[in-house]
Amino acid sequence: MEGEHRPTVADLDGDNHWASLARKHWLKGTKSKKVKSDVIKSELWDALEAEDFELRSLLLLENLHLLENYLWPGYTDDASNYHVLLVALLVAVKSRENLPVWDVFTDRPADFSSLFRRILSMSLDTSMSITIRTHLLSFLVNAFQSLDNGLVRKECAPLVSISIWHNLASETAKETEFGVHGQLRKAWRAAAKRYDAAEETSQARLRFERSWLYSMILDFVGRLYESTQTSLGDLIYCERFLEMLIDLISQLPTRRYVNTLLQDLNLLSLIKLSTLFNDEENGLLRDLYSLLRHFVYFSIDDHTGAQYSRTQSYEAHCARLARLQRTALKHFKANLTILALSNYGAVEQRPELESHLKGLTDAEISELCTLLGYRTNYPASARIAINRRLLMEVLVSSHEKRMTFQEVVRDLNIMPTETTLYEPTLLRNETYNGSRSLAIPKLNLQYLTVGDFLWRSFVLYRCESFFEIRKDIEDTMKRMQARSVGSGKIIQFDGFSRMAIPISKPSILEVVPPKVGHAEPSLVRAEIALDTNSLAENVRREWESLRPDDVLYLLAVHPPEDTKMTNGHSAMPSAGRGGLSSLRAAEVLQLLDENGRAMRDIPVGQMNGHSHRPHLRKFILKLDAAAYKFDSDRQAKGKPNIYETINVVVRRKGRENNFKRILESIRSLTLSDVPVPSWCQEVFLGYGDPSGASPARLSNRLKAVDFRDTFLDWQHLVDSLPGKTIEPDGKGNSRFDPPYVLEMPIDTAAIGPRPFKKRRLDDMNSAPAHQASVRVSTYRPPNTGPYPVDAPKLNRVRFTPAQVEAIASGTQPGLTVIVGPPGTGKTDVATQIINNLYHDFPTQRTLLVAHSNQALNQLFQKIMNLDIDERHLLRLGHGEGDLETDANFSKQGRVESFLDNRVRFLAEVDRLADNFDAPGAHGNSCETASYFNSVYVSPAWSNFWETAQTPEITTSELISAFPFHRYFSNAPQPLFPPGRSMDYIIDIAKGCQHHIKKIFTELEGIRPFEILRTSKDKANYLLIKEARIVAMTSTHAAMRRQEIADLGFHYDNVIMEEAAQITEIENFIPMALQNPKDGELPLQRIVLCGDHLQNSPIVQNLAFRQYANLEQSLFLRLVRLGVPTINLDQQGRARPSIAELYKWRYSRLGTLPSVETAPEFRQANAGFRYDYQFINVPDYKGMGEMQPSPHFIQNLGEAEYAVAIYQYMRLLGYPASKISMLTTYAGQRSLIRDVLGHRCAKNKLFGLPRIVTTVDKYQGEQNDYVILSLTRTNRVGYLRDVRRLTVALSRARLGLYVLGRREVFETCFELKEAFDRLLKRPDALMLVHGEVFPTTRLVDDEADATEMAGLEHLGQYVYEMTQAKVKALQGGQEALPPVVEEVVMDGDEVEENGAVEQLKENDD
């Protein structure tokens, strides 16, 4: 949304009309908030109407909390229409701003129902201006998109119920539907009974509800056919109405009866022939029509939700044609005999159908429509002319063959060209500001089918990818500064971009003929030459680091010319594109040096056999075959050869340029009909019982579960199961040590589909309350060996009851959704679930997924501390290098580890051979070791255990018979302690056998790596056979989906960490990384860990983020649907006082006792009066926030203040590694780094903090002390999304110091709870003199404090402290810190202009 529309603090506090009105009538301090009719009409409504409801005024009123503080509190049934309209306007604005909408109404459901009814009535009032009706329509669109809200659902459901079939053309139409689905007749009769039993007023309401949508549609059609000049307002209204219809039929609960009505009204034909549709200026309306048509004809049973296969869809199409042919032969034999006797293929295309039907008269056409059941009359008020043209369109559109959504996806090119990058639809998405609808699918609360979800995801991801590519290309061309030389035929580049190099035209090396059934070539190879002589060394290395399958962009760039613009579009192909006339994408096949040698074959340190600087590099490319075919066809028609004009090659950063592989993964899933596991399909789509996939509802629920080391002791077990009776198994004491096996009675009544709601309520009322019992047993863990390394690693976390519930649920088959507020240990829960699954189900495999390498590595490092064999761990992707371990868990690293282990274990075999004095090279290979085991080791153990079974044998005799004394001579001695019982000696012997058996088991697993020769074969074998816990990011899974599935990779469990930060398609793909077995994905468990009240996935484009809801995660959608969640409720990260700043966001978030009692939490922060503070930072040098470039927001005063606090802390002795500096904007992050570099980096007194980064990048991280800069000074900005504030306030453990502008944030309604708490303390920094880190003062102790009057005061104070410190050092009283910590740059790179890469915030 345009930045100039957004109100600033000056507007909110100024003397303008709206601010003055707010202060007078409803803001804080107002004596009475009673609604006055003259204020509503004269001062609010008339003023808004006079300026045509300008967006800036509406935003200002929304920021002044008009709805929350005045309109809704004062609403009654007697409220004026203007009052109702103002409420609808403010709701539409809130929705447009992506703010919570319905929470304000929950306190008075009856009044909300009254309000909603009045809005419905007004939406039909044609006397109102079209602008007002459009706002009312926006209110209703938002309502139908919020069906997860019970308040809204109750009002919307009757509007789309079966009662709307009263408006069908005839009883025959209803009977046809009843004949297909018998249960519909029951629903119809039930609705009729409700109507007959209702009172007169209720009957009037029911009549209104069933006619509302029908009346709205007729009014909409009338506007389409207006003969007079249509205004822009009418067009926007029609676009918004189409959006509402698309929303209604794209979700099954609202589609079920609405789609039948739309088809009965022949709505698609009416739209297509309308005046408004055929106006060439109205491209958006036509695009919305195409989207509506897609959903109307979507291949699904509207009533059962079953998706039709391609065969079923074609059979239904053939049945319609057969019916047409029978009718034609029976009633119109003279004119339609050829149509009736033709095969389906000859009459299913539009031209053939029109040709056959044109011989009928107008009356015959009408009669044919009637015989086929199509509507041929409309109410006179609709102003619809029934003519031959309309009826022909109805007949043809109903019987022509339509492409399925799979065919549409198959034919869409995923490689961009200049045409696809600049499609009008994409350009509209770029300029979206909420005022108009968009012709892109939305990610809804529910989907029609899995295929529907994949189609929407493909379209949206393709649009977003092309948007990002276009931005990068335009930025690169701007930097290149192309200009014509001479006559204009020579193009010279005066600028420079590290992402682009001028080239001569590519050489086409090979064009391979098309495959059978395809038109485009199967392969087009080309070569381009790059002169790298002028490039800096680091830039040249970036080009040479390009890998096969990376995408490059070949551009034909010409200087932009001043050209005449028509209809908002360019008259010249390259105008408006910065000089871009053509673009073709290509994949890298190989990189060669100037002599034609592959770059990977050149020895390190040698270039072309010499040490001089290389001049030339050659790329062998795979061109986009579809684009090449198109270009060849154009050239054959006399058009210029595009490849002759290409003069620039462009690359993009690797992490941003993976779009092709991800789109290929989504497309392959869309075309392959990969199903969701049957046990969770309905829940995934959003239908049926939300708890239907929960472990308690599945028939394969485990009766007993071994919890291994989950419980630390008996008391921990008892405390973890509150409300349950613990029953020991009765074989011994009433309490015993872990491990524990828990057996819970299975509630057979809970398994399977739920009964009807009424019967379910009766069952709840009649069910007796009883306390659940848990039967507990134990066992003695096997001895694993005499060496310390043989001892298993045990859990040391004392899990809370909620965590234990999550672990228990995650161990059971089914869907587990774990909501983990900040610091509640959801990563510990996930690792314990993995540990239990690993040991309890040794044949199963688990896939771990996270949104980032950082989050995945945190999870993986905790897994490495569990009792899990390293050979079963595998980390895929490029983030394994960040793991803080000497072991390499990548595929290649695991292969090398296997070979290293081979050497170690074979050495153990040689030691065993020495134990037996066995001659020969037994440790030569895994094969010889296996032979040695069968000939020497196994018989020795057999003889020993036979001896042990002898009844009269003594312990000393048994010890003497032990055959491996020499081998275990290096174990802790004595191996068999004297005086021990026979059972004890046997247990030690079993441990020794386990140790030796493990050697040969490991060697047996390593044996294939001796046989397989290539590294690729070894790595693939590792993935599909050896690894039992495989970890990867969601992006890696999306990129490599087909490759991994084709290898035959199978897994049983999926665990996703930070699932609420992963887009929904990237949530889905990890569940489909394997091919189905017997038509079913063999998944048994899906565990989602996350927090929907923290950050959502980051989507740059406003249209995709807000309109299409692309930032929606599967985690959030499941929570909205009411899927049962397990809420972790004890935080152990932050001081209780700091946790108070964000715990209001969570219903029952408590604090662990350790946080209140541990010394580090009881101690005060040295030098600070408070453990947290909001510090008001006024303008510095007359300036607040500034934007040196668009979206790159900075605040020098806060940057200097943050660095001054950091310097102060370092002077007191705080470790730099314990301090993090966060900001809400990438521009401010860059500025703080600059200030740190200038003031601290080279000074050993200070050094650099642990990290300087943005709040978004720091989710999932924590540190002891956080300095947070909010940056904004004229408006709240994107921090108004309270999820970001939750992340920002929850990163600190011991100290949090927030820098910001008080008047900006304290009045923000969404942030009020947090800032009310922050501002209870002084907003000036309070420092305590005479303390050093760590202090002995307790956090609750009183202390004399000095107030810092401002930045200058603090700066002078820090300067004086620094001088004193330096003098002390010079006097030898102190020493400099031994280590200078380095700042973590969080992976961002520096662009050629020297500025750190920015993340566009898109809140302007």
Side-chain angles (χ1 to χ4, degrees), residues 106-117:
T106 54
D107 58 334
R108 293 153 55 199
D111 285 339
F112 178 76
S113 180
S114 164
L115 172 76
F116 200 92
R117 296 290 142 186

Side-chain angles (χ1 to χ4, degrees), residues 965-1019:
H965 279 291
R966 195 193 309 178
Y967 175 77
F968 286 107
S969 61
N970 61 347
Q973 299 298 320
L975 184 62
F976 298 101
R980 295 288 188 165
S981 67
M982 180 67 73
D983 289 340
Y984 187 85
I985 299 301
I986 288 177
D987 185 60
I988 292 176
K990 287 181 178 178
C992 293
Q993 184 179 23
H994 181 277
H995 177 89
I996 293 174
K997 183 179 179 181
K998 183 178 179 181
I999 294 172
F1000 293 102
T1001 302
E1002 293 277 356
L1003 287 172
E1004 194 61 32
I1006 295 170
R1007 189 171 180 179
F1009 295 93
E1010 288 186 340
I1011 300 170
L1012 296 170
R1013 292 305 175 196
T1014 68
S1015 297
K1016 183 177 181 181
D1017 288 341
K1018 293 175 181 178

Side-chain angles (χ1 to χ4, degrees), residues 99 177 247 301 442 467 548 564 573 619 710 744 804 811 813 858 941 1022 1115 1120 1158 1171 1193 1258 1292 1310 1371:
L99 296 170
E177 294 294 328
D247 288 347
D301 187 311
K442 298 178 182 178
F467 164 77
K564 184 179 179 180
F619 280 98
T710 302
M744 300 187 184
V804 169
T811 309
Q858 287 178 348
W941 280 115
L1022 176 71
F1115 187 96
R1120 289 181 62 197
D1171 49 6
I1193 301 172
Y1258 207 57
E1310 289 75 19

